[in-house]
């Protein structure tokens, strides 16, 4: 299924009429014929070829912005190559093309490339320091229990809550140059879930997050191994301390159901395999869960970092082979382990058994498509990504190849996900796209509208985690604090429709309620009108948008402003109905002074960013 992608986007639909205020006309594209309807005299002087060239240039920019909505935490609109955001800008993608930009991102350095905790690899999360002394001389924090007598408010916040990791996450998402790695890592944390709701200490969570930085562009088999032996995962799903005399099935159940193959057998295109009666075929049963749980015995945390300090830093180890079940075991599809083998050997053979199951490609591939592109990919789209997973390679429509040729190569899978024609062409299905999950709603809005006042000053403190936002802005996705191992929302959540059970999938809509819908509106209001409350010391300055760069475009009929925001927030896809509402509201505000221009900008931003057409990315 390789070769489905091209660097040049293909627009399948014809007869689509798009209005651009900068052109004051509608171009009706039917094949190669172009009919121009009532161009304005001001543009007619450039001639039809000039108008067509302008229209195509605008369309290429919009396509690049749409690509970056899927591949990053939101497009940058930087024009200066010296700008730190230029590598993830619309202009840079246009200059390089999609394939070259992907290859550049695959080689992009991380924030802490020389972190001694992960030598020669690095991550975007600085490794935690070992427990230290507080100013009063006591132990500042304990890896097991909070001591309020020695650990004050700041100490408690920075060690026993998600605060430091959430601030780092939003800093990376809003400023980082390695946007593709971070966007994929965020998706993977929602598949391989460990939640700080249960693993309270940020030091334990840091090592968990770092492994996604290391493996986002690596191989899925290594990711599966690293997550299995991660101490936070070991604590979260009870593999740490699992022994043959008291076998715990928690990790065995979730590694099969959620992390690799799912409950039912799949065709390569993601459709269900059915028996003669039309019922789904299960991938495994209770016997397989029991046998995998026995494989995962004998492992526990590595040696303490210091007396009384559990090892949250290093991968789990076999503490005693006598605690490992060495009896024969039957795994997926009847594959067996002969018995009398040590824990490490059985672990690797069991992970190989999972990794090589034919379900992994379509099961993981479908979820990556859902997180990055659309909730309802076609079977052909899923089959292409599955092929990339199985073969470890993907060749784009321009003949550029990605991947090492080894099964599970994540670069091949990512390229297949982002370059498929279904991702790169104008949607023709009403079910295409997805609701922007709260994190992406926040980051895409802020990256599009800007978080800087000048070269060094930001208009945000990056405190955007829901535990530290006002309650009326809580949208239901507190970073790294999923309510359960099943993530914030299930991948198979469906919309209501007239023909159940054949309703479109809408995973993110599981978070949508009256309260969370209002929270989205409240968030936009507070950042656009600079009303977010501050709170010392946790939220010292809040977050807001500087309207100054947009004010000159707000004068007169405000079409220049609306065009700019349309490109930034909707990759040029704003409907005539939305445009009319925004224009009427904005032009009702006098533009005779700077205050009026700022008010116009705020009104336009507020109306566009709260519109359903923006909330659902298509």
């Amino acid at each position: 299924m390789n070769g489905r992608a091209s660097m040049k986007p293909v627009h399948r639909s014809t007869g689509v009429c798009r209005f651009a205020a900068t052109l004051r006309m509608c171009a009706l594209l039917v094949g190669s014929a172009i009919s121009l309807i009532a161009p304005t005299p001001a543009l007619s002087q450039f001639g039809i070829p000039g108008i067509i060239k302008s229209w195509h240039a605008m369309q290429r920019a919009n396509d690049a912005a749409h690509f970056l909505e899927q591949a990053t935490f939101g497009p940058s609109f930087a024009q200066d190559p010296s700008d730190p955001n230029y590598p993830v800008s619309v202009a840079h993608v246009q200059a390089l093309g999609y394939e070259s930009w992907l290859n550049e991102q695959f080689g992009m350095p991380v924030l802490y490339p020389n972190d001694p905790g992960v030598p020669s690899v690095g991550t975007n999360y600085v490794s935690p320091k070992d427990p230290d002394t507080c100013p009063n001389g006591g132990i500042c924090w304990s890896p097991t229990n909070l001591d309020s007598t020695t650990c004050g408010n700041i100490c408690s916040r920075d060690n026993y809550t998600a605060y430091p990791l959430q601030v780092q996450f939003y800093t990376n998402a809003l400023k980082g140059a390695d946007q593709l790695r971070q966007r994929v890592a965020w998706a993977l944390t929602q598949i391989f879930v460990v939640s700080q709701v249960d693993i309270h200490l940020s030091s334990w969570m840091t090592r968990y997050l770092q492994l996604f930085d290391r493996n986002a562009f690596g191989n899925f088999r290594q990711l599966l191994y690293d997550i299995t032996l991660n101490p936070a995962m070991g604590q979260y799903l009870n593999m740490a301390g699992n022994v043959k005399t008291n076998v715990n099935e928690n990790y065995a159940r979730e590694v099969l159901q959620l992390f690799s193959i799912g409950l039912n057998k799949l065709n390569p295109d993601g459709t269900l395999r059915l028996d003669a009666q039309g019922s789904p075929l299960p991938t495994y049963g209770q016997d397989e869960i029991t046998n995998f749980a026995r494989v995962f015995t004998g492992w526990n945390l590595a040696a303490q970092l210091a007396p009384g300090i559990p090892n949250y830093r290093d991968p789990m180890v076999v503490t005693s082979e006598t605690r490992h079940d060495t009896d024969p075991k039957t795994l997926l599809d009847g594959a067996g382990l002969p018995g009398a083998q040590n824990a490490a050997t059985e672990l690797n053979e069991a992970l190989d058994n999972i990794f090589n199951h034919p379900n992994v490609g379509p099961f993981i591939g479908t979820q990556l498509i859902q997180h990055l592109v659309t909730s309802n990919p076609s079977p052909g789209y899923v089959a292409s990504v599955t092929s990339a997973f199985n073969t470890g390679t993907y060749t784009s429509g321009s003949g550029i190849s990605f991947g090492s040729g080894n099964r599970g190569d994540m670069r091949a899978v990512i390229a297949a996900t982002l370059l498929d024609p279904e991702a790169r062409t104008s949607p023709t299905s009403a079910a295409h796209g997805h609701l922007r999950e709260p994190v992406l709603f926040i980051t895409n809005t802020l990256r599009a509208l800007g978080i800087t006042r000048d070269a060094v000053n930001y208009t945000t403190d990056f405190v955007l985690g829901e535990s530290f936002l006002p309650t009326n802005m809580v949208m239901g996705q507190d970073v790294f604090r999923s309510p359960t191992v099943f993530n914030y929302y299930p991948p198979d959540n469906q919309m209501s429709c007239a023909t159940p059970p054949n309703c479109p999938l809408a995973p993110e809509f599981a978070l949508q309620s009256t309260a969370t819908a209002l929270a989205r509106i409240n968030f936009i209001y507070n950042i656009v009108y600079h009303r977010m409350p501050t709170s010392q010391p946790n939220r010292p300055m809040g977050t807001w948008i500087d309207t100054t760069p947009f004010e000159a475009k707000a004068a007169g009929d405000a079409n220049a402003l609306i065009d700019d925001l349309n490109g930034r927030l909707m990759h040029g896809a704003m409907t005539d109905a939305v445009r009319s509402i925004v224009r009427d509201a904005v032009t009702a505000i006098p533009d005779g002074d700077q205050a009026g221009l700022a008010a116009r900008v705020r009104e336009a931003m507020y109306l566009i960013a709260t519109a359903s057409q923006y909330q659902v990315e298509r």
Side-chain angles (χ1 to χ4, degrees):
M1 295 299 296
N2 284 353
R4 284 172 52 85
S6 171
M7 183 174 67
K8 297 180 180 179
V10 178
H11 298 281
R12 296 170 178 165
S13 59
T14 60
V16 177
C17 194
R18 289 194 175 186
F19 288 88
T22 53
L23 299 182
R24 307 292 193 275
M25 59 106 182
C26 176
L28 178 63
L29 303 182
V30 184
S32 60
I34 300 178
S35 173
L36 298 179
I37 302 173
T40 63
L43 287 173
S44 297
Q45 62 180 307
F46 298 110
I48 289 177
I51 295 173
I52 296 172
K53 183 177 181 180
S54 297
W55 190 91
H56 282 299
M58 181 185 66
Q59 190 59 49
R60 286 194 298 272
N62 290 337
D63 290 341
H66 190 204
F67 172 78
L68 288 170
E69 286 180 341
Q70 298 166 344
T72 72
F73 282 103
S76 162
F77 293 87
Q79 296 291 326
D80 183 355
S82 66
D83 190 313
N85 284 309
Y86 186 78
V88 286
S89 69
V90 168
H92 192 53
V93 170
Q94 288 182 276
L96 290 184
Y98 300 141
E99 288 97 335
S100 295
W101 184 86
L102 286 176
N103 277 322
E104 181 179 81
Q105 282 287 303
F106 287 143
M108 192 68 66
V110 292
L111 186 61
Y112 302 107
N114 298 313
D115 183 351
V118 274
S120 76
V121 179
T123 74
N124 285 312
Y125 294 90
V126 64
S127 291
K129 295 179 180 179
D130 288 338
D132 205 347
T133 56
C134 285
N136 65 3
I139 297 296
C140 191
W141 64 273
S142 159
T144 51
N145 296 297
L146 171 65
D147 183 352
S148 59
T149 63
T150 60
C151 186
N153 290 339
I154 300 298
C155 169
S156 175
R157 181 198 70 186
D158 290 347
N159 292 292
Y160 292 89
T161 77
Y163 183 88
L165 295 179
Q166 290 179 340
V167 170
Q168 185 69 69
F169 171 84
Y170 279 109
T171 301
N172 295 346
L174 294 173
K175 293 172 53 180
D178 64 327
Q179 284 281 305
L180 180 63
R181 177 190 289 107
Q182 294 182 46
R183 180 67 190 276
V184 172
W186 170 241
L188 291 172
T189 64
Q190 296 188 74
I191 298 172
F192 298 88
V193 174
V194 169
S195 175
Q196 200 159 359
V197 169
D198 296 286
I199 305 298
H200 304 293
L201 280 79
S202 56
S203 53
W204 289 73
M205 291 293 292
T206 301
R207 279 293 196 246
Y208 158 77
L209 297 174
Q210 288 177 335
L211 71 86
F212 296 109
D213 287 332
R214 296 197 301 270
N215 291 302
F217 297 158
N219 192 280
F220 187 83
R221 173 61 173 80
Q222 185 65 46
L223 172 60
L224 196 60
Y225 180 84
D226 288 351
I227 197 68
T228 298
L229 296 184
N230 177 261
M233 180 62 79
Q235 293 289 89
Y236 187 59
L237 291 182
N238 311 117
M239 183 173 156
N242 188 22
V243 295
K244 67 181 182 182
T245 55
N246 187 23
V247 178
N248 188 294
E249 297 181 350
N250 213 7
Y251 185 72
R253 181 175 289 102
E254 308 308 355
V255 74
L256 297 176
Q257 179 180 348
L258 302 177
F259 303 167
S260 59
I261 63 175
L263 294 173
N264 297 308
K265 292 186 177 181
L266 303 172
N267 293 307
D269 64 4
T271 57
L272 288 171
R273 291 178 57 188
L274 306 176
D275 62 19
Q277 289 71 45
S279 299
L281 294 166
T283 49
Y284 60 89
Q286 180 58 44
D287 287 346
E288 286 84 357
I289 292 173
T290 300
N291 280 273
F292 273 102
R294 291 166 52 217
V295 168
F296 299 137
T297 54
W299 297 86
N300 211 331
L301 301 178
Q304 292 185 350
L305 298 176
I309 300 177
N311 194 330
Y312 55 83
R313 185 183 64 198
D314 301 316
M316 292 190 296
V317 298
V318 180
T319 53
S320 173
E321 289 290 348
T322 62
R323 298 174 180 175
H324 173 64
D325 186 318
T326 57
D327 289 340
K329 302 169 184 72
T330 302
L331 306 180
L332 298 173
D333 294 333
L337 298 181
Q341 298 187 114
N342 63 40
T345 298
E346 287 208 337
L347 177 72
N348 277 296
E349 290 182 0
L351 294 181
D352 284 341
N353 176 247
I354 295 172
F355 173 65
N356 288 298
H357 193 278
N359 256 41
V360 180
F363 182 75
I364 296 298
T366 297
Q367 291 190 70
L368 285 176
I369 294 171
Q370 288 180 318
H371 281 289
L372 301 180
V373 180
T374 180
S375 299
N376 294 277
S378 70
Y381 189 178
V382 174
S384 176
V385 175
T386 298
S387 175
F389 184 94
N390 292 343
T391 64
T393 186
Y394 175 80
T395 302
S396 75
S398 299
I400 298 177
S401 295
F402 297 87
S404 61
N406 296 319
R407 176 181 173 83
D409 188 288
M410 292 297 291
R411 297 188 184 200
V413 172
I414 294 164
T417 300
L418 293 172
L419 297 179
D420 190 273
E422 199 162 317
R424 300 276 54 82
T425 55
S426 297
T428 57
S429 167
H432 183 83
H434 58 162
L435 177 69
R436 296 183 199 271
E437 61 188 273
V439 164
L440 299 182
F441 175 68
I442 291 171
T443 60
N444 196 86
T445 304
L446 293 177
R447 286 181 60 81
L449 300 181
I451 57 167
T452 58
R453 302 187 68 178
D454 51 47
V456 294
N457 293 306
Y458 290 89
T459 60
T460 180
D461 49 21
F462 304 99
V463 180
L464 294 161
E466 291 189 347
S467 294
F468 297 91
L469 281 180
T471 56
N472 69 344
M473 298 183 218
V474 171
M475 306 175 217
Q477 194 174 37
D478 200 11
V479 172
F480 308 138
R481 288 177 53 81
S482 169
T484 71
V485 72
F486 294 96
N487 192 28
Y488 305 95
Y489 50 82
D492 58 353
N493 182 67
Q494 289 182 296
M495 291 284 287
S496 298
C497 73
T499 58
N502 302 313
C503 300
L505 295 175
E508 297 88 346
F509 271 96
L511 296 177
Q512 196 75 336
S513 66
T514 302
T516 58
L518 288 173
R520 289 172 178 251
I521 295 172
N522 290 335
F523 178 81
I524 295 299
Y525 175 82
N526 278 275
I527 65 169
V528 167
Y529 288 92
H530 198 172
R531 299 291 180 86
M532 183 179 288
T534 58
S535 175
Q536 297 292 343
N538 296 336
R539 195 170 60 252
M541 62 184 286
T543 297
W544 76 95
I545 303 299
D546 181 12
T547 61
T548 307
F550 301 92
E551 289 168 7
K553 298 177 182 180
D557 62 9
N559 278 316
L561 171 65
I562 298 171
D563 286 344
D564 189 10
L565 296 178
N566 181 19
R568 288 172 178 268
L569 293 172
M570 293 185 176
H571 52 267
M574 184 185 295
T575 63
D576 294 340
V578 171
R579 185 182 191 90
S580 177
I581 292 170
V582 174
R583 184 178 59 246
D584 290 348
V586 169
T587 55
I589 300 172
D591 64 346
D593 56 18
Q594 191 272 336
L597 293 175
R600 282 185 162 207
V601 172
R602 292 189 178 105
E603 184 76 0
M605 289 178 174
Y606 175 76
L607 290 174
I608 295 171
T610 57
S612 59
Q613 191 185 351
Y614 173 64
Q615 308 257 352
V616 177
E617 178 195 327
R618 285 172 52 77

